[in-house]
Amino acid sequence: AQSVTQLDSQVPVFEEAPVELRCNYSSSVSVYLFWYVQYPNQGLQLLLKYLSGSTLVKGINGFEAEFNKSQTSFHLRKPSVHISDTAEYFCAVSDGGQNFVFGPGTRLSVLP
Amino acid sequence: GAGVSQTPSNKVTEKGKYVELRCDPISGHTALYWYRQSLGQGPEFLIYFQGTGAADDSGLPNDRFFAVRPEGSVSTLKIQRTERGDSAVYLCASSEYLGENTEAFFGQGTRLTVV
């Protein structure tokens, strides 16, 4: 069985500061990892995904994530956040199908 | 359409009633998924379709839940004898085909409230 842990339910950060949203997973098989963002009153949008190859993955809106197999982590980072980055962020794992297992989400609040 | 469309956006129903939630996927997408998102939690997989057939319905919580996609496009999630615990946002997504190399596009969801 697969599971995803997002330890931080809420992360407040000032505008232009760096941010890291943590994600850890557990799985008995090879995994594919994803980060989705959910803006208020909108659907989920794919930020980035790791399928294979380079462990550093770059996504949209200046976000990137690094796959660390030994630590079973896939933390999301951005060097300088904007007010518009305020949203809920979900980490997800898949074993190859599209039935993702999502984490509980981290609410990022960017303060002026 | 330009994206995945879900109707209604909000639905309030009384306990014990029957409800139908509709999903219009992106045109040409063969794979369609349903997820349920309860308050404060991440989306939880319910079922996915490849074409007209349910490829995996292991996430449906019980036999009160059923989904169809008769023509391989629009899908309807049906809930019988609704309970207060069914209150959640029901999300639909579609992708061009089934597999990890294709992106799943999500709709805005239907917020179901059972009173």
Side-chain angles (χ1 to χ4, degrees):
Chain A
Q2 299 170 313
S3 66
V4 176
T5 303
Q6 293 180 249
L7 290 174
D8 306 305
S9 60
Q10 298 188 57
V11 173
V13 62
F14 287 106
E15 193 174 17
E16 297 183 4
V19 70
E20 178 180 84
L21 305 183
R22 295 181 293 171
C23 171
N24 289 87
Y25 69 92
S26 67
S27 176
S28 59
V29 298
S30 297
V31 296
Y32 305 100
L33 295 157
F34 306 79
W35 275 99
Y36 278 85
V37 60
Q38 188 173 34
Y39 298 105
N41 301 315
Q42 295 188 29
L44 292 164
Q45 180 182 2
L46 181 66
L47 271 180
L48 48 79
K49 61 184 175 183
Y50 170 79
L51 303 181
S52 64
S54 173
T55 56
L56 183 62
V57 180
K58 293 189 183 297
I60 61 171
N61 301 341
F63 283 93
E64 64 180 32
E66 185 160 17
F67 170 57
N68 188 318
K69 187 174 183 180
S70 63
Q71 297 187 6
T72 59
S73 68
F74 191 55
H75 301 331
L76 181 70
R77 303 185 184 98
K78 186 170 182 178
S80 176
V81 294
H82 303 288
I83 295 287
S84 59
D85 292 323
T86 294
E88 189 90 20
Y89 291 80
F90 294 95
C91 182
V93 63
S94 165
D95 61 2
Q98 288 280 349
N99 47 332
F100 299 115
V101 175
F102 284 87
T106 296
R107 181 171 300 278
L108 175 64
S109 298
V110 181
L111 310 171
Chain B
V4 177
S5 176
Q6 292 187 246
T7 53
S9 55
N10 282 282
K11 175 71 177 179
V12 180
T13 190
E14 292 181 347
K15 178 176 177 295
K17 298 291 188 181
Y18 167 82
V19 295
E20 290 189 351
L21 311 179
R22 177 188 168 104
C23 172
D24 282 87
I26 293 173
S27 179
H29 281 193
T30 62
L32 184 146
Y33 323 86
W34 283 100
Y35 285 81
R36 178 170 69 175
Q37 187 175 14
S38 299
L39 192 63
Q41 298 182 25
E44 176 189 20
F45 168 76
L46 295 177
I47 184 172
Y48 73 77
F49 291 86
Q50 177 62 34
T52 60
D56 183 349
D57 64 358
S58 62
L60 294 177
N62 51 59
D63 61 6
R64 295 187 297 106
F65 288 75
F66 190 70
V68 296
R69 195 186 185 199
E71 298 178 357
S73 178
V74 171
S75 177
T76 305
L77 179 65
K78 308 180 180 192
I79 310 174
Q80 299 177 320
R81 305 183 303 281
T82 52
E83 299 177 356
R84 292 196 178 85
D86 299 334
S87 296
V89 175
Y90 289 81
L91 299 170
C92 177
S94 72
S95 63
E96 193 173 351
Y97 52 86
L98 195 63
E100 70 279 0
N101 268 322
T102 179
E103 180 177 347
F105 293 85
F106 283 80
Q108 295 186 4
T110 293
R111 183 175 299 277
L112 175 66
T113 303
V114 182
V115 298

